[in-house]
């Protein structure tokens, strides 16, 4: 169901979310660019807690903010095990919202694709993501997009290595962060499980546009 760019607003989103509480067949919902705001984000979070059919949700560019992101993240903690693709790009979630998403990934074993582009995420949010992805060997996430945030080169390289350990040349990787406008690693949306561990081989979709400066990676 594609309802993007319809100025649905928070009230319309609340009504839609309520109707979806009784719908167990819809698999894909696109609500990008609908001005749903924080209240709309909270309404969708409530829907996700009971909806067992939705696998793809796009709510990019909706001014959801950190509070809406917190509600959404809470719905992914032990309450939703079917959503595999989540796009919350362009929602100004800042570090606070990113930390909430990172926390939800500690227990969520379904989400595979996560788009966090253009959310004003900085070093603290990136650190939270790194800590979660380093510590959770069972995590299902295979594709992460943090393009257009405020994350420095060293942290980007470290995050890239956590998700894609094959890239082991810091200097070369940092130069790519500074110069490339394309995907930094294999941009395929999914990866096959590793033949050695059986766990997903993670990939980063893109990290371009992060106002990269020379810095030392954050320590955990």
């Amino acid at each position: 169901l594609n309802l993007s760019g319809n100025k649905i607003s928070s009230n319309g989103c609340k009504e839609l979310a309520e109707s979806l509480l009784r719908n167990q067949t819809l698999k894909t919902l696109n609500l990008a660019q609908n001005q749903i705001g924080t209240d709309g984000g909270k309404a969708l979070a409530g829907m996700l807690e009971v909806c067992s059919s939705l696998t793809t949700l796009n709510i990019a560019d909706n001014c959801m903010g950190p509070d809406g992101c917190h509600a959404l993240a809470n719905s992914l903690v032990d309450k939703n095990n079917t959503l595999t693709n989540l796009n919350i790009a362009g929602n100004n979630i800042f570090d606070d919202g990113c930390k909430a998403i990172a926390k939800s990934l500690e227990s969520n074993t379904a989400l595979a694709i996560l788009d966090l582009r253009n959310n004003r995420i900085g070093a603290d949010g990136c650190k939270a993501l790194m800590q979660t992805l380093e510590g959770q060997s069972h995590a299902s996430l295979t594709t992460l997009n943090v393009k257009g945030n405020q994350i420095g080169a060293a942290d980007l390289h470290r995050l890239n290595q956590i998700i894609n350990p094959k890239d082991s040349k810091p200097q070369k990787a940092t130069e790519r962060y500074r110069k490339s406008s394309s995907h930094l690693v294999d941009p395929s949306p999914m990866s096959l499980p590793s033949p050695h561990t059986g766990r997903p081989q993670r990939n980063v979709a893109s990290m371009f546009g992060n106002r990269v400066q020379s810095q030392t990676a954050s320590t955990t």
Side-chain angles (χ1 to χ4, degrees):
L1 178 61
N2 187 349
L3 296 174
S4 60
N6 276 295
K7 299 182 180 179
I8 288 176
S9 77
S10 60
N11 289 333
C13 187
K14 290 177 185 178
E15 293 181 8
L16 177 62
E18 185 176 354
S19 70
L20 290 176
L21 292 175
R22 300 181 293 274
N23 189 314
Q24 299 299 317
T25 58
L26 187 67
K27 294 185 179 299
T28 300
L29 178 61
N30 186 346
L31 291 176
Q33 300 177 337
N34 269 300
Q35 305 171 11
I36 67 172
T38 298
D39 289 342
K42 291 179 178 179
L44 290 174
M47 177 270 294
L48 286 175
E49 291 183 6
V50 299
C51 181
S52 60
S53 62
L54 202 66
T55 60
T56 299
L57 177 62
N58 183 347
I59 48 175
D61 302 319
N62 269 301
C63 303
M64 190 170 58
D67 289 344
C69 187
H70 267 275
L72 198 68
N74 287 337
S75 72
L76 299 177
V77 179
D78 300 327
K79 299 173 183 176
N80 183 291
N81 59 4
T82 56
L83 193 69
T84 59
N85 188 336
L86 176 62
N87 185 344
I88 53 174
N91 272 289
N92 292 335
I93 69 172
F94 297 94
D95 284 340
D96 192 35
C98 186
K99 290 177 183 178
I101 290 292
K103 182 68 175 177
S104 73
L105 293 177
E106 292 180 3
S107 56
N108 184 287
T109 57
L111 197 64
I113 303 173
L114 177 61
D115 193 334
L116 296 174
R117 288 173 297 153
N118 303 318
N119 268 304
R120 301 187 182 183
I121 298 168
D124 288 345
C126 182
K127 180 179 179 181
L129 286 172
M130 290 190 290
Q131 288 177 330
T132 295
L133 295 176
E134 280 181 320
Q136 301 298 319
S137 60
H138 66 274
S140 57
L141 197 68
T142 59
T143 301
L144 174 65
N145 195 331
V146 295
K147 180 179 179 180
N149 285 292
Q150 299 166 4
I151 305 171
D155 284 338
L156 284 175
H157 175 67
R158 184 178 172 194
L159 181 59
N160 185 47
Q161 283 198 311
I162 292 170
I163 299 178
N164 184 20
K166 293 180 181 180
D167 193 349
S168 59
K169 298 180 180 179
Q171 187 61 38
K172 186 175 181 180
T174 300
E175 288 304 310
R176 287 210 306 278
Y177 299 140
R178 288 175 176 163
K179 299 176 180 179
S180 176
S181 61
S182 62
H183 293 298
L184 298 180
V185 296
D186 181 3
S188 57
M190 297 289 288
S191 316
L192 295 174
S194 164
H196 302 293
T197 65
R199 296 192 297 268
Q201 294 174 321
R202 297 168 178 156
N203 284 315
V204 177
S206 178
M207 296 180 177
F208 176 67
N210 268 287
R211 300 182 184 180
V212 170
Q213 299 176 350
S214 296
Q215 67 172 52
T216 303
S218 299
T219 56
T220 56

